[in-house]
Amino acid sequence: LAKTTQPISMDSYEGQEVNITCSHNNIATNDYITWYQQFPSQGPRFIIQGYKTKVTNEVASLFIPADRKSSTLSLPRVSLSDTAVYYCLVGLYSSASKIIFGSGTRLSIRP
Amino acid sequence: NAGVTQTPKFRILKIGQSMTLQCTQDMNHNYMYWYRQDPGMGLKLIYYSVGAGITDKGEVPNGYNVSRSTTEDFPLRLELAAPSQTSVYFCASSELAGGAYEQYFGPGTRLTVT
């Protein structure tokens, strides 16, 4: 199973760009990299997913280097509402049981 | 389109009692999941289902049972509740299996066993 390692917590200020890096040294060829966001007292919410290089959507960007052993979630111009826990998942394409949520990164945004 | 709904939102159980956590999705997803989340921790997979009539164990299945008689419903049964089962329980569904497919989560059930 591909285990992930993320920083436990990060702090930033409104308007800044925040980059959260996830390490996944044992990623398998078929694994996708997915990031979820979780607000207090809510279930996680899908943010972005990628396999290699760079993916961008209206919320975030995901950078994946060629060796795929790490990935970086980039949140542009964060606001107070981006305060949440962010989970990096590395999952086998076809196996429902192989998805592991780590402890996540607790991001705190200050005014 | 309500997505994934869970009932109840909160529940307090005494040790040894039993209960069923309900989960329903209206997206016609084949795959459904039950997770538990202890305070300050990530989610751990309890059971999952790949379709009606088919279920399988996740990482922490002991003390729980599931059934899947319809595509929409995936109830989680706790038998003989123990304090170690105090947690927040999330149900999720996805169109297909695996990390490549987005999981849609319900709002959670906060369970306390005393």
Side-chain angles (χ1 to χ4, degrees), chain A residues 34 36 38 44 49 87 92-93 99 102, chain B residues 37 42 97-101 103 105:
Chain A
T34 310
Y36 284 81
Q38 185 180 26
Q49 181 182 80
Y87 295 97
L92 188 63
Y93 183 82
I99 301 169
Chain B
Q37 185 173 36
Y101 293 95
Q103 290 192 32
F105 283 81

Side-chain angles (χ1 to χ4, degrees), chain A residues 38-90:
Chain A
Q38 185 180 26
F39 297 115
S41 301
Q42 294 186 26
R45 183 175 71 106
F46 175 92
I47 301 177
I48 197 167
Q49 181 182 80
Y51 183 79
K52 61 180 179 180
T53 63
K54 176 183 176 182
V55 179
T56 298
N57 62 23
E58 65 278 7
V59 176
S61 294
L62 179 60
F63 299 91
I64 305 169
D67 66 5
R68 305 201 326 123
K69 293 184 183 299
S70 67
S71 59
T72 299
L73 174 72
S74 181
L75 303 172
R77 297 181 298 282
V78 294
S79 65
L80 295 176
S81 63
D82 292 314
T83 294
V85 178
Y86 293 82
Y87 295 97
C88 164
L89 275 69
V90 175

Side-chain angles (χ1 to χ4, degrees), chain A residues 32 34 36 38 41-46 49 87 89-104 106, chain B residues 31 33 35 37 40-45 48 50 57-59 90 97-108 110:
Chain A
Y32 280 71
T34 310
Y36 284 81
Q38 185 180 26
S41 301
Q42 294 186 26
R45 183 175 71 106
F46 175 92
Q49 181 182 80
Y87 295 97
L89 275 69
V90 175
L92 188 63
Y93 183 82
S94 61
S95 175
S97 65
K98 298 287 191 282
I99 301 169
I100 298 175
F101 282 80
S103 297
R106 189 172 301 274
Chain B
Y31 292 82
Y33 315 80
Y35 293 89
Q37 185 173 36
M41 306 296 286
L43 283 75
K44 293 186 176 180
L45 184 64
Y48 67 97
V50 303
K57 298 176 181 179
E59 183 184 357
F90 290 103
Y101 293 95
E102 177 180 352
Q103 290 192 32
Y104 296 82
F105 283 81
R110 185 175 297 274

